Amino acid sequence: MDHRGEARDVPAVTADNYSGAREAVDHLVSLGHRRIGFITGRMDTHASLERLRGYREGLLVHGLGVDETLVCGGDFLQPGGFQAARALLELPVAPTAIFASNDVMAFGAMEAVKDAGLRVPVDVSVIGFDDIPMASQVHPSLTTVRQPLYEMGAAAANLLITLLAGIAPSVNRLELGTQVVVRRSTAPPRQPVDLP
């Protein structure tokens, strides 16, 4: 479930990671962000590759170039999200928004923003992916891309039961849709102050 390799004959249930990432970029761009940092997941997973592809293509669709210095490697863990976000915030021109490949790394990114003396979302917007229960409980609550986790689990269980019964499944790959859940961690970027 949600981990698809190259072996196409292995049954799998996954979310539409590519479209979810595109929607996350759409959301940030609609707020006015043009410099969007991205924290990848482990690059040996299909989900990570598709989320990175969605991020890159989302920028291109909006006429924004892909600046590879804004792409930082992550590992789906909170300390990895913290380290990657800190590296992004230390760039000569820091991003105004950070898109983390999962909610747990987004929590780390939020910590890094606070550690740098900045505020989420006033100075830096943060968006995650998954919509785990904790996403609505952190402060500020996390804007994220919701995977239909319950439906994915149910579909995977049904697929397994079908296979155990010796019945060939009607579909070998099932991909379910995602949606952006807007909470309080994203906002328009702070406008530059015109000095006299």
Side-chain angles (χ1 to χ4, degrees):
M1 190 174 90
D2 202 29
H3 184 87
R4 190 174 82 183
E6 293 305 312
R8 302 296 300 173
D9 59 334
V10 177
V13 176
T14 187
D16 188 349
N17 293 289
Y18 167 78
S19 294
R22 284 279 307 270
E23 292 165 7
V25 172
D26 290 346
H27 170 66
L28 293 171
V29 171
S30 75
L31 291 172
H33 294 280
R34 299 296 178 265
R35 196 158 169 78
I36 301 168
F38 183 73
I39 305 174
T40 73
R42 285 187 13 239
M43 297 311 291
D44 60 343
T45 68
H46 179 77
S48 291
L49 294 171
E50 286 295 281
R51 291 172 194 180
L52 177 57
R53 185 170 73 92
Y55 161 78
R56 285 180 171 145
E57 292 185 16
L59 292 175
L60 294 174
V61 162
H62 289 288
L64 303 172
V66 178
D67 180 349
E68 292 298 334
T69 64
L70 289 174
V71 178
C72 240
D75 55 8
F76 289 131
L77 302 175
Q78 191 161 343
F82 179 91
Q83 294 297 333
R86 186 159 71 177
L88 289 168
L89 295 171
E90 289 173 353
L91 289 171
V93 181
T96 60
I98 296 174
F99 174 18
S101 286
N102 75 342
D103 291 345
V104 174
M105 288 194 302
F107 301 153
M110 291 169 77
E111 285 180 37
V113 171
K114 293 172 189 172
D115 191 61
L118 303 171
R119 292 173 293 165
V120 177
V122 175
D123 302 301
V124 182
S125 286
V126 177
I127 187 169
F129 202 112
D130 289 335
D131 195 28
I132 62 175
M134 191 70 180
S136 63
Q137 298 166 11
V138 294
H139 180 74
S141 56
L142 180 66
T143 297
T144 186
V145 179
R146 175 178 291 156
Q147 292 194 79
L149 298 174
Y150 178 85
E151 292 82 357
M152 289 167 67
N158 286 332
L159 182 58
L160 180 59
I161 291 167
T162 300
L163 290 167
L164 289 173
I167 302 168
S170 56
V171 291
N172 216 28
R173 300 283 175 156
L174 183 60
E175 186 175 80
L176 302 180
T178 57
Q179 69 179 61
V180 172
V181 178
V182 179
R183 295 194 179 102
R184 301 188 62 135
S185 68
T186 53
R190 176 179 259 177
Q191 298 299 316
V193 177
D194 292 324
L195 299 175

